[in-house]
Amino acid sequence: MRSSELSLRKRSGTATDHEQKQFLVKLAVFAFALLPFLWAGFITFQIHKRGDAGFSYELGWKSLKIMRVYESLNPVCEGDDIKLVDHHTINEVLGFYISRLKEPYKGVVTIGREGKQLSFRLSYRSLSWGAYLKACWPFILLAFLLTVIGLIAYVRSSPDQPSGLFLACYVIFAINITNEIGFNFGIQPPYLISLIFIVATLSNWLGFSLWTHFVFRFPTEQQLFEDNSLVLSAIYLLPPAVSILGAFYLARGEADFFIWLQRTRFWHIPPIIGFTAYRNWTT
C-alpha cells in the first residue's frame, strides 16, 4: 500500500515538474516573440526625445541619402546626401561606439547637392502619433505578421520538426524590420544611428544563419549536418567573418571600415538563397 502511494506521489511530482517546465518554455517563447516590438518601442522613445526632422533616409555610400521629405522643416530635398553629422564623417557616426565621439549632439549636418555642400542646424518638431503611425505602420504590420506566422508554426508543428529555429528566424527578421523605423524621422544623435546600424547588421547575419540552419533540418535533416558541430559553427560564423574580413580588405587601412561593412554585410545572402533553392529543388 505504501509503495503504491509513493509511486503515485512520484508520478504526480513528475507531472507537476513537467507542467512547470512547459509553462516556463511558453513564457520564454512569448517573451522572445515580443522582442521586435520592444525594440520598436525603444527606438520610438529615443526619437520622441529629439523629435521629427520631417524626412526619411537610408544608409548610402559615405553618406546618408535622403529618400523622402514629408514636412518642410529643413532645407533638404529628395536625393540629397548627408556627408557630415556634427562635422563627423558617416564612418565615424556608424562606428560611434568605437570612434568614442564625446561631443553632445548639436544637429548640424552637411549635405551634398549637385556638387555643392551646405551646412545647417536641423529643426525638429514634436513627434505626433499621426505622423508616427503613418510612417511606421508597414514595418509594424509586417513584423507582426512574421511573428504570428512563426508562433503558429511553433505551436502547431510536431516535436520532431525544427519549429523553434523557424520561430527564431522570423522573430530576428521582424527585429530587422522594426529597426527600419529609426530611419524615418530625420537624423537622430550618432549613438542611435550607430545602434540601429549594429542591430541591422547583427539581425541580418543571425537571421540568415538561422534560416540556413532551418533549411538544413527541414523537412529532413541533412546527413552532413547530423552531430557535426563544425558545420553548425560555420553556419553562424561565416556570415560575420566574410563581411568583416571583406570590409577590412576593401578599406585597406583607410578610415572607411564601417562604410564598407555597410556593403559587405549582405555578401552572404546570394549563396544562402541559392542553397535554399537547391534544397527545395532536391527535396
Side-chain angles (χ1 to χ4, degrees), residues 33-186:
L34 286 178
L35 286 179
F37 311 102
L38 293 174
W39 181 241
F42 172 81
I43 294 176
T44 302
F45 175 72
Q46 296 299 320
I47 293 172
H48 177 74
K49 290 196 302 183
R50 170 60 54 178
D52 177 12
F55 61 88
S56 63
Y57 68 95
E58 66 177 21
L59 301 178
W61 173 243
K62 294 188 178 183
S63 70
L64 305 175
K65 181 171 286 293
I66 296 176
M67 303 304 296
R68 185 170 68 92
V69 179
Y70 52 83
E71 191 69 29
S72 300
L73 298 174
N74 295 286
V76 296
C77 301
E78 293 182 7
D80 283 351
D81 292 308
I82 298 176
K83 302 289 189 180
L84 301 172
V85 177
D86 279 354
H87 309 294
H88 299 296
T89 66
I90 303 306
N91 188 77
E92 291 173 328
V93 171
L94 295 182
F96 172 85
Y97 294 97
I98 294 178
S99 304
R100 298 180 180 180
L101 307 180
K102 297 181 179 179
E103 300 87 350
Y105 178 60
K106 299 176 183 177
V108 177
V109 298
T110 300
I111 65 171
R113 182 190 302 162
E114 298 177 351
K116 300 179 182 179
Q117 290 195 343
L118 172 67
S119 296
F120 55 90
R121 187 185 300 272
L122 289 171
S123 298
Y124 293 86
R125 65 175 182 178
S126 297
L127 181 61
S128 67
W129 279 110
Y132 176 80
L133 292 175
K134 185 177 180 181
C136 298
W137 73 264
F139 305 110
I140 295 173
L141 178 61
L142 184 54
F144 176 76
L145 291 175
L146 286 176
T147 304
V148 169
I149 291 171
L151 284 171
I152 292 174
Y154 181 81
V155 170
R156 302 189 63 177
S157 64
S158 58
D160 61 324
Q161 294 297 327
S163 56
L165 283 173
F166 186 81
L167 171 62
C169 173
Y170 270 42
V171 168
I172 296 300
F173 281 142
I175 292 174
N176 189 279
I177 290 169
T178 56
N179 194 55
E180 294 291 315
I181 290 173
F183 296 130
N184 281 270
F185 300 97

Side-chain angles (χ1 to χ4, degrees), residues 276-283:
T276 302
Y278 169 77
R279 176 77 165 136
N280 288 335
W281 180 266
T282 56
T283 55

Side-chain angles (χ1 to χ4, degrees), residues 183-240:
F183 296 130
N184 281 270
F185 300 97
I187 302 302
Q188 300 296 319
Y191 78 86
L192 185 59
I193 297 175
S194 179
L195 192 57
I196 290 170
F197 173 68
I198 291 170
V199 171
T201 302
L202 294 179
S203 60
N204 181 302
W205 291 339
L206 182 57
F208 279 99
S209 292
L210 286 166
W211 176 256
T212 305
H213 192 174
F214 169 76
V215 171
F216 260 115
R217 295 189 57 190
F218 183 83
T220 57
E221 191 167 20
Q222 291 274 20
Q223 185 176 2
L224 174 66
F225 188 76
E226 294 179 359
D227 300 321
N228 195 329
S229 58
L230 182 61
V231 175
L232 180 61
S233 300
I235 287 175
Y236 289 93
L237 293 178
L238 277 177

